């Protein structure tokens, strides 16, 4: 859990990336700029609540079925159970679904990614 950077607002369970301005912004697999850097899940609505870089988290939306590999979604701040495939989208594994009913995942973003084309 980290407590650095800046953010206009956070949503508990949402996925953010750390940008070149030192801010946590909404992560989105629709563009490399928002999908290939350091990712974290907000624990609450303020930086003082912390952001999880790796570990067990509860996401804002159901990411898939238990055991699924999950990817960063093209819907901002979300995860999905299938890799994005449209041209220009980023396929990046970010963890594994451990409880789909309660939206819990092991968040462990891979440092590698693929640009769909």
């Amino acid at each position: 859990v980290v407590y650095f950077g800046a953010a206009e607002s956070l949503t508990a369970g949402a996925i953010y990336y750390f940008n070149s301005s030192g801010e946590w912004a909404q992560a989105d697999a629709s563009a490399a700029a928002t999908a290939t850097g350091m990712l974290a899940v907000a624990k609450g609505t303020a930086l003082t609540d912390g952001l999880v870089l790796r570990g067990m988290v509860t996401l804002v939306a159901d990411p898939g079925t238990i055991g699924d590999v999950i990817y960063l979604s093209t819907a901002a701040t979300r995860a999905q159970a299938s890799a994005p495939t449209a041209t220009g989208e980023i396929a990046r594994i970010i963890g594994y679904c451990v409880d789909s009913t309660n939206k819990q995942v092991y968040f462990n973003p891979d440092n590698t990614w693929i640009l769909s084309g």
Side-chain angles (χ1 to χ4, degrees):
V1 178
V2 297
Y3 303 90
F4 63 82
E8 288 186 22
S9 65
L10 297 172
T11 299
I15 304 168
Y16 296 90
Y17 76 99
F18 194 62
N19 68 22
S20 61
S21 299
E23 298 174 328
W24 292 101
Q26 295 183 349
D28 183 338
S30 296
T34 65
T36 60
M38 182 166 48
L39 299 178
V41 176
K43 289 184 65 175
T45 58
L47 284 171
T48 55
D49 296 322
L51 291 108
V52 178
L53 296 178
R54 180 179 301 151
M56 300 302 292
V57 297
T58 301
L59 296 180
V60 71
D62 180 12
T65 302
I66 292 174
D68 280 352
V69 171
I70 58 169
Y71 298 83
L72 186 62
S73 177
T74 54
T77 75
R78 309 292 173 139
Q80 62 189 43
S82 59
T85 58
T87 300
E89 293 178 343
I90 302 298
R92 183 176 181 185
I93 295 172
I94 60 168
Y96 304 89
C97 182
V98 295
D99 183 343
S100 54
T101 302
N102 295 304
K103 302 175 269 190
Q104 295 174 332
V105 303
Y106 173 57
F107 185 72
N108 185 21
D110 197 317
N111 289 330
T112 58
W113 47 272
I114 297 170
L115 177 63
S116 299

